[in-house]
Each structure stands twice: as structure tokens, then as C-alpha cells.
């Protein structure tokens, strides 16, 4: 055995541990009072151990805490990590399937676009969407040829509608806003029973 074979994995391990420490101790940029941007808060709910990295297991646990069943939580964790991980990995050699809160900072929540969703598409009720109006909104906002974007947005908004609609089937603007800053998740976790047994 030559020494090169022994030392390369060792070197990689050291490098990786060093890198994890850098990521874990990096301070999130101060965008608002608590230091996280709006979309970071959306994702931070799922960072159960507050180390700045979302592991698939944590997403699974977050969904379970919201009341989703084991099958739905597994599916959601697999899908979300497969779709989001690549966009949030800070450097090429980061582990796949992890989501890094630090990078989510670069994802913009555009308040005017959010307002527009309701001002344009909430026709029957002020500041609240029916299921049909939601579908219209998603159709109207499709970017040509961005198929992954379509699927992603439809999934996100459908799940949001399912967990956040009121008893008349309306998705209210202020409730929907809560998904972006994570406050909706915290409220639902407390209520817990609302979406129990979705599988
Ligand atoms: C019940 C759970 C969840 C719901 C209802 C939800 C809902 C949403 C909605 C409605 C959007 C805006 C989509 C759009 O208008 O294009 C969004 C964006 C986003 N979500 Fe979630 N989400 C959930 C869980 C998660 C989890 C677990 C993660 C990651 C760990 C995540 C990461 C993101 C990211 C990074 C964006 C921004 C995407 C972009 O701008 O490309 N979400 N989510
Ligand atoms: Ca974590």
C-alpha cells in the first residue's frame, strides 16, 4: 500500500469537517430583526437542530410535526431535497441532498409579486383565493418552457392550499404569507390535528 492511498481519504475527511464547521458557524445576513430573510425563515422551520443545514431527516420530522403521515413525509422529504439541494449547495463538493440555509438568502421573496397574486386573482372574495382562482393564478404565472418551475409551483401551492385553506375552501392572503416566513408552520404544528393523516 503506498501512502497516497491512505492519505487522500484522510485529507478529504479533514477538509470536509473543516468546511462543515465554516458553514455551521457562518452568521446569516441581517435582513430583518431576527437575522433571516423571509424565505430563510420558510426553510428554517425545518432546521430542527438549528445548525444551518437541513438534512432530509429533518424535513421528514418537520412534516411529521405538521401532522403528515409517514408515507407523505417521506415522499415530501425525498422530492424537496432532490429538487432544492442542488440550488443551495455552497460549493461543488458539498454533500448532495443537503439544503443550506445560508444560500437560501439569495432566494428572493418579492412582496409586490405576492400582492399581485391576490389583487389580480382574488375576484370573488377580497384577499382570498378559491381553489379555481388558485389554479388560474398558477396557469397565468407559468414561465414558458420552465417545466420544473410549473411542477414545483403547483406542488407548493397545492400543499399550501390543502393545509391553510379555511372551512369555506378559501386561501387568505395573510394566512398564505405565513408560509413564507414560517409562522404558518409554527401555528400548524401547535394545532397539529388539522392535517393529521394526510398520506
Ligand atoms: C408544507 C410544507 C411546504 C409548503 C406548503 C411550501 C410552500 C411553498 C410555496 C407556496 C413557495 C412559493 C412557490 C412559488 O410561488 O414559486 C415555496 C418556495 C420555496 N420553498 Fe417551500 N414549502 C414547504 C416546504 C419546504 C421545505 C421543507 C423546503 C426546504 C427544506 C422548502 C424550500 C423552498 C424554497 C427554497 C423555495 C423558493 C423556491 C424558489 O424561489 O425557487 N419548502 N414553498
Ligand atoms: Ca439541521
Amino acid at each position: 500500500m503506498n501512502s497516497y492511498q491512505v492519505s487522500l481519504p484522510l485529507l478529504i475527511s479533514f477538509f470536509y469537517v473543516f468546511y462543515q464547521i465554516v458553514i455551521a458557524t457562518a452568521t446569516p445576513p441581517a435582513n430583518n430583526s431576527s437575522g433571516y430573510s423571509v424565505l430563510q425563515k420558510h426553510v428554517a422551520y425545518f432546521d430542527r437542530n438549528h445548525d444551518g443545514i437541513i438534512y432530509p431527516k429533518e424535513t421528514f420530522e418537520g412534516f411529521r410535526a405538521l401532522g403528515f403521515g409517514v408515507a407523505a413525509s417521506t415522499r415530501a422529504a425525498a422530492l424537496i431535497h432532490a429538487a432544492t439541494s442542488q440550488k443551495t449547495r455552497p460549493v461543488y463538493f458539498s454533500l448532495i441532498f443537503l439544503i443550506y440555509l445560508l444560500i437560501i438568502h439569495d432566494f428572493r421573496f418579492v412582496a409586490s409579486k405576492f400582492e399581485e397574486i391576490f389583487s389580480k386573482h382574488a375576484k370573488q372574495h377580497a384577499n382570498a383565493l378559491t381553489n379555481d382562482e388558485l389554479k388560474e393564478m398558477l396557469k397565468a404565472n407559468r414561465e414558458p418552457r420552465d417545466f420544473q418551475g410549473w411542477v414545483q409551483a403547483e406542488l407548493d401551492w397545492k400543499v399550501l392550499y390543502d393545509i391553510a385553506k379555511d372551512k369555506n375552501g378559501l386561501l387568505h392572503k395573510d394566512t398564505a404569507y405565513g408560509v413564507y416566513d414560517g409562522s404558518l408552520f409554527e401555528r400548524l404544528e401547535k394545532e397539529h390535528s388539522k392535517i393529521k393523516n394526510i398520506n
Side-chain angles (χ1 to χ4, degrees), residues 39-99:
L39 267 174
Q40 273 177 317
K41 288 188 195 166
H42 174 72
V43 178
Y45 167 79
F46 296 90
D47 184 11
R48 313 296 283 179
N49 66 357
H50 308 292
D51 67 350
I53 303 165
I54 327 289
Y55 294 83
K57 183 169 163 285
E58 291 179 296
T59 301
F60 172 81
E61 286 165 358
F63 272 80
R64 293 290 287 139
L66 289 171
F68 286 90
V70 171
S73 303
T74 307
R75 216 163 41 224
L79 276 174
I80 289 170
H81 282 261
T84 311
S85 170
Q86 184 62 46
K87 295 186 254 180
T88 77
R89 281 154 62 196
V91 277
Y92 181 71
F93 57 83
S94 341
L95 276 190
I96 58 168
F97 294 136
L98 305 188
I99 293 170

Side-chain angles (χ1 to χ4, degrees), residues 14-175:
F14 273 125
F15 198 36
Y16 184 66
V17 168
F18 171 68
Y19 156 74
Q20 287 292 336
I21 291 169
V22 170
I23 287 297
T25 54
T27 326
N31 264 19
N32 51 40
S33 53
S34 68
Y36 277 141
S37 71
V38 172
L39 267 174
Q40 273 177 317
K41 288 188 195 166
H42 174 72
V43 178
Y45 167 79
F46 296 90
D47 184 11
R48 313 296 283 179
N49 66 357
H50 308 292
D51 67 350
I53 303 165
I54 327 289
Y55 294 83
K57 183 169 163 285
E58 291 179 296
T59 301
F60 172 81
E61 286 165 358
F63 272 80
R64 293 290 287 139
L66 289 171
F68 286 90
V70 171
S73 303
T74 307
R75 216 163 41 224
L79 276 174
I80 289 170
H81 282 261
T84 311
S85 170
Q86 184 62 46
K87 295 186 254 180
T88 77
R89 281 154 62 196
V91 277
Y92 181 71
F93 57 83
S94 341
L95 276 190
I96 58 168
F97 294 136
L98 305 188
I99 293 170
Y100 291 82
L101 260 183
L102 199 65
I103 310 297
I104 300 286
H105 173 247
D106 297 338
F107 290 61
R108 293 265 172 276
F109 167 72
V110 185
S112 60
K113 283 258 189 283
F114 179 75
E115 290 294 329
E116 201 185 281
I117 287 174
F118 287 87
S119 62
K120 259 195 189 164
H121 299 277
K123 292 170 190 152
Q124 296 178 36
H125 307 266
N127 293 327
L129 293 173
T130 65
N131 199 3
D132 286 342
E133 287 169 347
L134 182 72
K135 285 180 189 155
E136 262 169 46
M137 180 281 281
L138 287 167
K139 223 177 193 171
N141 284 335
R142 281 177 185 169
E143 298 282 342
R145 289 186 300 280
D146 177 14
F147 297 109
Q148 202 199 332
W150 293 8
V151 175
Q152 185 89 41
E154 302 235 343
L155 263 177
D156 286 345
W157 279 90
K158 194 188 170 313
V159 174
L160 173 60
Y161 179 81
D162 284 344
I163 64 178
K165 64 173 186 255
D166 71 7
K167 55 184 187 309
N168 301 316
L170 293 176
L171 178 63
H172 292 269
K173 186 167 89 174
D174 46 358
T175 319

